């Protein structure tokens, strides 16, 4: 039997506030264990939380950027469970009054737009981190680092609208892009500021009701989203084909072995005993307040993509690549403003620039190339000062050193030779060095022209103006002697 | 300089200190001497901070010498041990906190210290403020200074006993369901539970977050007003503290009560009330009438649901609030654990007392999936109805008056084995916490056995001033508050 994959994702995104959600501790990553803590985030007896309003602001931005309805009445709730990284024995989260509901994210699958609906977005605090003793202290002991405790998160819950691991990946990519555009998170997946749990189930094609799902926990890269789901789909398929049943359970993805394994079954599932957090007053978000925040949102990836294809006439694929991040899109637009050949700019950015950035693992805003320099180089090509091949050298030099294109051309002597006398001299020399070929050409073997052009380019280190070179070669070869 | 052999009232102490009748150091030392004399019998304190108190008293004397006139300057206070004090143990009378020392001061303590107070020590309570007798203390019980065979009430039994035994000038207590008013009543002192949100809860170890309030326990209504002026008011560290104007409560003390209407809740004088308690309270109401107040009978029809509602909601919140005592970070950790689950279970099994465990289990149950709607949600609805009862009653009167507890102080061990009977004795005090309104207990008589009885006065939200006015005028007309036990 053929099975259809059904996936819903729960994405946790760390908001980029300077301080934690309920106290004034720093959220900076990479500090010494327990350096970013205080009695409040450590859950000492008697402490109370005070909400960081910037968290609400960011969360509203995320909600608006994903077309959600922002709920006017917001309430926090306590999610109760015991774990050593959870100092209060409950996590302050949201339950029946989440921040945002409805909403959707459009993804592109094989050039087709697909709408992925969102159930909700809610705010919550992150837990701490357990460090087991193998690498420090007593190998028999576990240690707790509470630096991450109380770092603000939003959880974005999708409907089970995804039908393949590719769609799940595309959704994550698009969501990351949206959150970065909305400027609410640095979405650094390696540091865990964007991670997801995936609910995966199978059902026979055509069947309406969902199959039994498993929840895959703690996936922190685009690659792993796809791999974890692929593994799980394969596992569930073979279970079903053998006539076995899928068990409702939570599974962890082990990225080293590329497998998922059972963490706890439904029988062991937590009863979180949610109830309204009595230490925090409800947050009322009236329309005017939401309106104010909406005004500060920038153009988002999808409308920008559509504008790029319409305004610049570039292919949809180019538009998607160029709008992946806001700095990349801004770079493109600024370059086009200075050198109005959108496709040429796109080609250079999607080819050479993105390749270099990827090789160096660098972000565009951190590299030495500027829109002015790239546009300047394209101007030089257009003016015939350099050809496309030389431009590669110029580009590399600009990218590595931050030099101006004109300077590179001048200092490396890369400008085209466009004066007739110099080229004529080279042509004469080539004809003299190749008497046989010259004779053959003159006897009608005209396809030898390519050979002569090659020789001339070699002799001029690629700098001979191609049009002039052609003209003079034809002239000299044709004239006989 | 005269020696303050017997702790004076707060007002008296401030006047004497100002007039250099004695120094803050002498006053503090006299309180410490009093503790030396009676503490082995009363056991009001869990920790006495002798050295720190002497340092604070000396500092207060320096401030006095400079002409400083802060409202609590040089005044020795006792602090209930569920209110955090930096550098001193803050244990909630629970073994699970061991000798835990808080790294910070509660806002109310911080404000008292800035106003010049001297902290004598931390007073006993029912573990985590859960109980009505202070017998649930994980350390030792406290005795009622009026009758050492009886309980001081609870959970702020240590603070009430310390004030009654003159082991301090005044004290701070906390009240989640009557924990200030009932022991004040049992020990013959004045106790105020302020409006929810009036006093910051920051640093008050949470029992039931939506019900807990810190308040003063004093010898007189005047003293309570002075303490409230210091500890009250919005705190940026407590989101539930109210941003409402803070009046000077001492201004309310000398207002006239003539023509004010006092409501008598019908449901507070039904069967079950001890006849001597009823008589004392009825006599107090006659005194109020003699002051020119009009009485009107009112009804609080949902009173019968208060105990059930309270124990559902308070235990639900407590079950989460007490989760942090898990042996991981501070306090007691079991020595008998082979794995994480055993560490949790044994640490908590060994650290918590019976009553605390009972309430954690009750609270966990009512929040469990499948039971939430039937208990917690229904409890919230009942809470709204109880709140409305008061709103309706206050349409007909300015203040309500009634008993605090159906009974005078119980004998030690009398009710320890019957939690249901103990919970029912909270009937007259828990509704105010559910409604969030302020209520005060003032001494209003004694039984034939010389046990104090308290009159409970209740006012609408943020109208503590009414309680100060009525309470003060009552104390002007009576002298129950001037009577102290002989020890």
């Amino acid at each position: 039997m053929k099975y259809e994959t059904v996936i819903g994702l729960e994405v946790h995104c760390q908001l980029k506030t300077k301080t934690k959600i309920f106290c004034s501790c720093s959220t900076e990553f990479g500090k010494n264990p327990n350096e970013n803590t205080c009695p409040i985030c450590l859950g000492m007896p008697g402490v109370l939380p005070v909400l960081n309003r910037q968290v609400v602001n960011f969360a509203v931005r995320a909600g608006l950027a994903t077309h959600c309805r922002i709920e006017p009445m917001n309430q926090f709730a306590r999610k109760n469970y015991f774990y050593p990284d959870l100092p209060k024995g409950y996590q302050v989260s949201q339950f029946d009054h989440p921040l945002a509901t409805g909403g959707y994210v459009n993804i592109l699958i094989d050039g087709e737009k697909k709408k992925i609906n969102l159930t909700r977005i809610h705010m919550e605090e992150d837990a701490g981190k357990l460090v087991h003793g193998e690498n420090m202290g007593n190998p028999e002991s576990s240690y707790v680092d509470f630096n991450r405790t109380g770092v603000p998160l939003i959880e974005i819950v999708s409907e089970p609208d995804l039908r393949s691991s590719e769609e799940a990946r595309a959704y994550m990519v698009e969501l990351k892009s949206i959150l970065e555009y909305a400027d609410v998170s640095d979405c650094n997946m390696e540091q865990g500021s964007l991670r997801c749990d995936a609910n995966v189930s199978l059902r026979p094609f055509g069947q309406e009701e969902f199959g039994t799902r498993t929840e895959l926990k703690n996936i922190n890269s685009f690659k792993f989203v796809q791999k974890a789901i692929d593994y799980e789909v394969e596992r569930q398929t073979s279970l079903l084909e053998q006539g076995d049943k899928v068990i409702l359970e939570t599974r962890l993805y082990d990225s080293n072995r590329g497998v998922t394994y059972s963490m706890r079954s439904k029988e062991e599932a937590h009863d979180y005993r949610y109830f309204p957090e009595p230490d925090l007053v409800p947050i009322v978000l009236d329309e005017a307040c939401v309106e104010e925040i909406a005004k500060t949102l920038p153009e988002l990836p999808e409308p920008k993509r559509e504008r790029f294809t319409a305004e610049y006439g570039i292919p949809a694929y180019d538009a998607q690549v160029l709008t992946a991040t806001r700095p990349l899109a801004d770079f493109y637009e600024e370059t086009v403003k200075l050198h109005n050949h959108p496709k040429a700019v796109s080609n250079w950015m999607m080819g050479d620039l993105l390749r270099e950035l990827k090789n160096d693992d660098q972000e565009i805003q951190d590299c030495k190339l500027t829109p002015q320099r790239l546009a300047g180089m394209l101007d030089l090509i257009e003016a015939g000062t350099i050809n496309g091949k030389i431009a590669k050298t110029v580009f590399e030099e600009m990218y590595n050193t931050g030099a101006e294109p004109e300077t590179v051309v001048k200092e490396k002597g890369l400008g085209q030779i466009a004066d007739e006398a110099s080229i004529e001299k080279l042509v004469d020399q080539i004809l003299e060095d190749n008497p046989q070929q010259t004779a053959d050409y003159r006897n009608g073997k005209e396809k030898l022209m390519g050979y002569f052009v090659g020789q001339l380019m070699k002799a001029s280190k690629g700098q001979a103006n191609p049009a002039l070179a052609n003209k003079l070669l034809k002239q000299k070869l044709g004239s006989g002697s | 300089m005269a020696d303050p052999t017997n702790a004076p009232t707060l007002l008296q102490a401030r006047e004497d200190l100002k007039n250099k009748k004695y120094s803050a150091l002498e006053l503090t030392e006299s309180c410490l001497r009093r503790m030396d004399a009676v503490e082995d019998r009363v056991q009001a304190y869990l920790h006495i901070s002798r050295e720190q108190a002497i340092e604070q008293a000396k500092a207060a004397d320096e401030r006095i010498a400079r002409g400083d006139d802060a409202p609590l300057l040089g005044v020795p206070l006792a602090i209930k041990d569920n209110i955090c004090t930096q550098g001193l143990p803050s244990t909630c009378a629970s073994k699970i906190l061991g000798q835990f020392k808080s790294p910070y001061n509660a806002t109310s303590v911080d404000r008292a210290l800035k106003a010049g107070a001297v902290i004598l020590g931390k007073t006993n309570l029912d573990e985590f403020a859960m109980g009505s007798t202070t017998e649930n203390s994980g350390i030792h019980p406290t005795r009622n200074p009026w009758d050492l065979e009886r309980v001081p009430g609870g959970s702020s039994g240590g603070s009430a006993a310390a004030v009654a035994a003159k082991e301090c000038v005044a004290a701070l207590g906390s009240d989640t369901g009557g924990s200030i008013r009932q022991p004040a009543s049992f020990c013959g002192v004045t106790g105020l539970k302020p409006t929810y949100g009036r006093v910051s809860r920051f640093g008050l170890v949470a029992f039931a977050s939506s019900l807990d309030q810190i308040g003063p326990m004093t010898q007189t209504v005047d003293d309570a007003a002075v303490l409230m002026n210091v500890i009250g008011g919005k705190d940026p560290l407590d989101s539930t503290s109210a941003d409402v104007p803070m009046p000077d409560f001492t201004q309310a003390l000398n207002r006239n009560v003539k023509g004010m209407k006092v409501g008598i809740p019908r449901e507070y004088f039904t069967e079950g009330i001890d006849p001597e308690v009823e008589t004392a309270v009825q006599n107090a109401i006659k005194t109020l009438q003699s002051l020119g107040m009009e009485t009107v009978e009112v009804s609080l029809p949902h009173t019968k649901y208060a105990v059930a509602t309270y124990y559902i909601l308070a235990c639900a919140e407590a079950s989460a609030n007490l989760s942090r005592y898990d042996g991981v970070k501070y306090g007691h950790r079991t020595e008998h654990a082979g794995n994480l689950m055993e560490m949790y279970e044994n640490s908590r099994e060994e650290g918590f007392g019976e009553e605390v465990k009972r309430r954690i289990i009750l609270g966990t149950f009512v929040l469990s999936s499948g039971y939430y709607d039937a208990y917690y949600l229904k409890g919230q609805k009942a809470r709204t109805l109880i709140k409305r009862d008061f709103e309706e009653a206050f349409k007909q009167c300015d203040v309500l008056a009634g008993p605090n507890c159906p009974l005078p102080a119980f004998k030690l061990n009398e009710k320890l084995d019957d939690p249901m009977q103990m919970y029912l004795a909270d009937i007259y005090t828990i509704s105010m916490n559910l409604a969030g309104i302020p209520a005060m207990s003032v001494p209003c008589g004694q039984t034939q056995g010389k046990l104090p009885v308290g009159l409970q006065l209740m006012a609408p939200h943020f109208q503590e001033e009414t309680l100060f006015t009525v309470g003060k005028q009552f104390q002007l007309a009576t002298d129950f508050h001037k009577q102290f036990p002989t020890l």
Side-chain angles (χ1 to χ4, degrees):
Chain A
M1 200 188 296
K2 274 286 189 188
Y3 294 103
E4 183 181 33
T5 307
V6 177
I7 305 161
L9 291 186
E10 294 168 14
V11 175
H12 285 93
C13 166
Q14 178 182 332
L15 299 174
K16 55 189 271 187
T17 55
K18 289 201 169 59
T19 57
K20 294 185 179 180
I21 184 167
F22 298 126
C23 65
S24 54
C25 286
S26 165
T27 54
E28 200 182 328
F29 184 81
K31 302 299 259 188
N32 291 323
N34 297 308
E35 194 175 334
N36 292 346
T37 59
C38 72
I40 297 171
C41 55
L42 289 176
M44 291 293 218
V47 297
L48 296 172
V50 175
L51 178 63
N52 179 347
R53 284 301 300 212
Q54 187 62 38
V55 171
V56 182
N57 193 346
F58 281 150
V60 169
R61 285 175 76 85
L64 291 171
T66 48
H67 316 282
C68 285
R69 173 186 138 84
I70 305 300
E71 295 295 326
M73 216 289 280
N74 261 263
Q75 197 165 39
F76 283 97
R78 292 184 183 177
K79 179 182 183 179
N80 295 286
Y81 65 95
F82 284 96
Y83 205 63
D85 68 3
L86 192 68
K88 297 190 294 288
Y90 56 84
Q91 178 193 28
V92 178
S93 180
Q94 292 191 287
F95 186 55
D96 47 8
H97 292 283
L99 176 97
T101 54
Y104 61 88
V105 169
N106 283 329
I107 58 172
L108 280 177
I109 285 293
D110 303 328
E112 295 280 312
K113 200 187 265 193
K114 180 171 174 179
K115 189 174 182 180
I116 308 302
N117 290 294
L118 301 185
T119 315
R120 58 188 275 159
I121 298 180
H122 69 251
M123 302 176 276
E124 63 186 25
E125 58 178 345
D126 206 346
K129 191 175 84 178
L130 285 188
V131 184
H132 301 290
E134 297 89 61
N135 305 316
M136 57 173 289
N138 180 357
E140 301 278 292
S141 299
S142 293
Y143 297 83
V144 201
D145 178 1
F146 291 112
N147 281 349
R148 220 175 61 188
T149 305
V151 163
L153 302 177
I154 47 173
E155 182 176 331
I156 303 162
V157 183
S158 86
E159 292 286 308
D161 286 351
L162 299 157
R163 291 291 172 269
S164 68
S165 65
E166 293 77 22
E167 288 188 16
R169 183 195 166 104
Y171 168 78
M172 278 293 278
V173 170
E174 182 66 12
L175 196 57
K176 177 172 186 271
S177 174
I178 291 170
L179 295 168
E180 281 174 339
Y181 266 71
D183 205 20
V184 300
S185 172
D186 63 20
C187 294
N188 187 325
M189 298 181 91
E190 275 162 30
Q191 292 178 5
S193 48
L194 192 72
R195 50 190 196 260
C196 86
D197 304 336
N199 286 299
V200 181
S201 66
L202 300 184
R203 64 180 169 192
F205 272 100
Q207 179 181 305
E208 191 110 344
E209 69 261 42
F210 297 127
T212 306
R213 71 188 152 81
T214 57
E215 185 182 5
L216 312 182
K217 281 261 178 211
N218 254 337
I219 304 168
N220 65 355
S221 85
F222 294 143
K223 198 169 82 188
F224 295 157
V225 171
Q226 213 165 341
K227 285 191 161 181
I229 293 172
D230 283 343
Y231 178 87
E232 188 57 20
V233 168
E234 212 171 292
R235 192 187 68 87
Q236 290 189 15
T237 306
S238 84
L239 277 177
L240 294 174
E241 279 174 352
Q242 289 163 33
D244 283 342
K245 274 186 179 148
V246 175
I247 304 166
L248 182 60
E249 63 181 351
T250 302
R251 299 176 71 83
L252 273 180
Y253 177 64
D254 179 342
S255 57
N256 292 323
R257 293 189 292 146
V259 301
T260 66
Y261 61 94
S262 182
M263 190 168 118
R264 58 172 178 257
S265 69
K266 195 202 170 201
E267 285 70 37
E268 300 166 80
H270 289 129
D271 176 359
Y272 290 118
R273 306 188 310 278
Y274 282 99
F275 73 101
E277 164 59 290
D279 287 333
L280 290 164
V281 290
I283 313 147
V284 178
L285 292 168
D286 56 37
E287 258 175 63
C289 154
V290 173
E291 200 62 36
E292 273 308 302
I293 297 173
K295 274 189 212 154
T296 65
L297 273 183
E299 184 185 30
L300 292 163
E302 193 185 355
K304 197 183 279 281
R305 224 158 32 218
E306 283 164 4
R307 183 169 62 78
F308 273 25
T309 49
E311 195 174 318
Y312 301 121
I314 54 174
Y317 177 73
D318 290 32
Q320 180 158 16
V321 173
L322 292 170
T323 55
T325 73
R326 216 159 108 189
L328 191 67
D330 289 347
F331 193 106
Y332 176 74
E333 290 208 275
E334 274 174 57
T335 311
V336 171
K337 216 182 278 168
L338 299 167
H339 180 85
N340 193 13
H341 293 284
K343 183 58 185 160
V345 175
S346 169
N347 289 345
W348 276 91
M349 283 184 64
M350 289 176 48
D352 298 67
L353 180 52
L354 286 182
R355 187 174 54 243
E356 294 286 350
L357 289 172
K358 198 177 172 200
N359 286 343
D360 294 354
D361 195 19
Q362 211 180 24
E363 298 296 328
I364 192 157
Q365 57 270 37
D366 303 324
C367 87
K368 291 179 175 145
L369 189 71
T370 62
Q372 290 72 23
R373 287 174 193 146
L374 179 58
M377 187 196 83
L378 294 171
D379 285 345
L380 291 179
I381 298 173
E382 197 184 6
T385 312
I386 53 173
N387 62 24
K389 195 165 164 239
I390 298 245
K392 301 257 177 202
T393 315
V394 176
F395 179 88
E396 214 166 290
E397 189 67 14
M398 292 195 302
Y399 177 86
N400 287 326
T401 68
E404 296 296 333
E406 295 81 1
T407 318
V408 178
V409 168
K410 199 186 267 174
E411 281 178 2
K412 299 217 155 186
L414 296 174
Q416 281 188 7
I417 301 165
D419 82 281
E420 230 172 290
S422 308
I423 296 178
E424 203 174 339
K425 234 169 111 186
L426 290 171
V427 171
D428 288 342
Q429 188 63 48
I430 287 163
L431 264 54
E432 199 182 314
D433 293 348
N434 297 283
Q436 187 59 52
Q437 283 85 346
T438 307
D440 289 351
Y441 181 88
R442 287 181 177 149
N443 287 331
K445 220 170 170 189
E446 288 191 7
K447 65 178 181 189
L448 274 169
M449 186 48 130
Y451 171 77
F452 286 107
V453 171
Q455 291 300 308
L456 182 58
M457 282 301 164
K458 200 171 159 193
S460 69
K461 300 193 189 82
Q463 285 167 263
N465 178 300
L468 210 51
N470 266 315
K471 189 185 112 187
L472 287 173
L473 274 171
K474 270 201 182 130
Q475 211 176 310
K476 293 266 174 181
L477 284 166
S479 66
S481 59
Chain B
M1 282 192 197
D3 177 24
T5 46
N6 227 347
T9 66
L10 202 165
L11 274 193
Q12 187 67 51
R14 281 297 304 138
E15 197 185 319
D16 293 348
L17 288 166
K18 231 186 290 183
N19 295 332
K20 312 249 175 354
K21 229 173 125 185
Y22 41 79
S23 67
L25 182 59
E26 285 171 309
L27 179 57
T28 295
E29 282 175 336
S30 88
C31 287
L32 292 169
R33 271 198 305 279
R34 177 70 177 164
M35 289 182 206
D36 292 340
V38 303
E39 201 34 26
D40 62 333
R41 282 168 288 159
V42 179
Q43 296 194 289
Y45 286 86
L46 289 175
H47 324 283
I48 296 169
S49 48
R50 201 171 287 269
E51 281 156 32
Q52 189 191 295
I54 286 172
E55 287 310 307
Q56 287 170 345
K58 285 179 181 166
D61 279 328
E62 282 170 27
R63 280 173 72 177
I64 292 169
R66 290 199 302 268
D68 194 339
D69 190 25
L72 301 181
L73 195 49
V75 174
L77 296 183
I79 310 288
K80 187 178 181 182
D81 202 34
N82 61 346
I83 302 173
C84 288
T85 45
Q86 195 172 354
L88 296 179
S90 300
T91 72
C92 302
S94 181
K95 289 199 180 82
I96 207 152
L97 275 163
Q99 283 297 302
F100 176 77
K101 284 185 179 169
S102 175
Y104 70 97
N105 275 325
T107 298
S108 54
V109 169
D110 194 49
R111 288 177 177 175
L113 287 171
K114 287 203 173 92
V118 171
I119 292 175
L120 293 168
K122 306 297 293 288
T123 53
N124 200 10
L125 63 152
D126 289 294
E127 184 179 1
F128 286 106
M130 296 178 178
S132 317
T133 63
T134 314
E135 291 168 295
N136 293 329
S137 166
I139 316 301
H140 56 67
T142 293
R143 313 235 167 186
N144 191 319
W146 290 88
D147 179 347
L148 296 171
E149 296 307 307
R150 289 181 185 267
V151 301
S155 64
S156 310
S159 284
V163 174
K166 297 236 173 186
E167 295 183 80
C168 61
V169 166
L172 290 184
S174 71
D175 190 317
T176 305
S179 280
I180 286 177
R181 292 159 287 155
Q182 184 255 28
S185 171
F186 280 13
C187 292
V189 303
T190 300
L192 170 70
K193 180 204 96 70
T195 309
Y196 184 79
R198 176 65 96 181
V199 179
S200 168
R201 290 187 297 117
F202 189 77
L204 169 63
V205 180
F207 157 18
S209 313
S210 73
L211 303 159
D212 298 339
Q213 262 301 279
I214 291 174
M217 302 184 79
T218 55
Q219 301 178 38
T220 65
V221 173
D222 300 81
D223 289 3
V226 175
L227 257 182
M228 272 305 290
N229 273 353
V230 172
I231 63 171
K234 171 79 185 164
D235 177 10
L237 296 175
D238 176 1
S239 313
T240 65
S241 74
D243 199 2
V244 294
M246 261 289 287
D248 174 358
F249 292 116
T250 61
Q251 294 291 313
L253 293 167
N254 295 311
R255 286 179 198 148
N256 202 330
V257 295
K258 197 163 272 175
M260 278 175 76
K261 280 192 180 155
V262 53
I264 313 298
R266 187 183 306 145
E267 292 77 8
Y268 285 27
F269 294 90
T270 50
E271 54 185 309
I273 187 166
D274 178 274
E276 286 193 282
V277 170
E278 182 167 13
T279 305
V281 173
Q282 293 293 7
N283 287 340
I285 292 165
K286 283 190 193 118
T287 306
L288 295 177
Q289 285 170 327
S290 74
L291 292 169
M293 293 182 81
E294 282 176 45
T295 54
V296 48
E297 195 188 71
V298 296
S299 175
L300 301 170
H302 295 95
T303 299
K304 55 180 178 282
Y305 303 117
V307 172
T309 303
Y310 174 83
Y311 280 93
I312 287 168
L313 300 180
C315 294
E317 292 179 14
S319 71
N321 282 330
L322 271 60
S323 292
R324 68 190 61 194
Y325 311 108
D326 57 5
V328 173
K329 306 163 295 282
Y330 44 74
H332 176 71
R333 181 190 291 177
T334 186
E335 287 171 5
H336 313 285
N339 57 43
L340 180 64
M341 199 45 77
E342 281 173 27
M343 185 187 84
Y344 284 145
E345 287 175 357
N346 294 343
S347 297
R348 288 165 70 82
E349 161 64 26
E350 292 158 13
F352 288 132
E354 287 307 304
E355 183 60 26
V356 173
K357 284 180 202 160
R358 178 157 38 238
R359 295 196 193 190
I360 290 174
I361 291 167
L362 204 62
T364 303
F365 173 75
V366 299
L367 289 175
S368 297
S369 134
Y371 297 99
Y372 181 87
D373 288 3
Y375 293 103
Y376 185 84
L377 218 54
K378 194 164 265 182
Q380 289 292 18
K381 286 176 186 163
R383 183 175 187 170
T384 304
L385 294 175
I386 288 164
K387 205 176 192 170
R388 274 192 208 139
D389 278 0
F390 284 102
E391 284 164 9
E392 286 303 312
F394 285 123
K395 284 178 184 165
Q396 302 165 62
C397 60
D398 303 294
V399 65
L400 292 169
N404 278 286
C405 181
L407 304 164
F410 326 128
K411 283 216 161 97
L412 281 158
N413 300 321
E414 186 183 334
K415 298 214 190 296
L416 210 50
D417 298 328
D418 191 348
M420 234 3 242
Q421 208 194 336
M422 187 83 88
Y423 295 170
L424 285 170
D426 295 340
I427 179 79
Y428 302 142
T429 47
I430 52 187
S431 296
M432 299 79 205
N433 299 79
L434 290 168
I437 60 167
M440 178 189 267
S441 175
V442 288
C444 73
Q446 284 183 358
T447 63
Q448 284 181 338
K450 286 268 173 201
L451 296 175
V453 176
L455 169 72
Q456 185 175 209
L457 299 167
M458 300 144 257
H461 289 97
F462 298 106
Q463 291 188 26
E464 285 87 354
E465 285 172 285
T466 307
L467 300 178
F468 286 122
T469 302
V470 178
K472 166 70 177 181
Q473 296 310 307
F474 182 78
Q475 291 195 336
L476 280 175
T478 59
D479 65 357
F480 302 113
H481 61 290
K482 290 180 181 159
Q483 295 174 20
F484 286 89
T486 30
L487 274 163

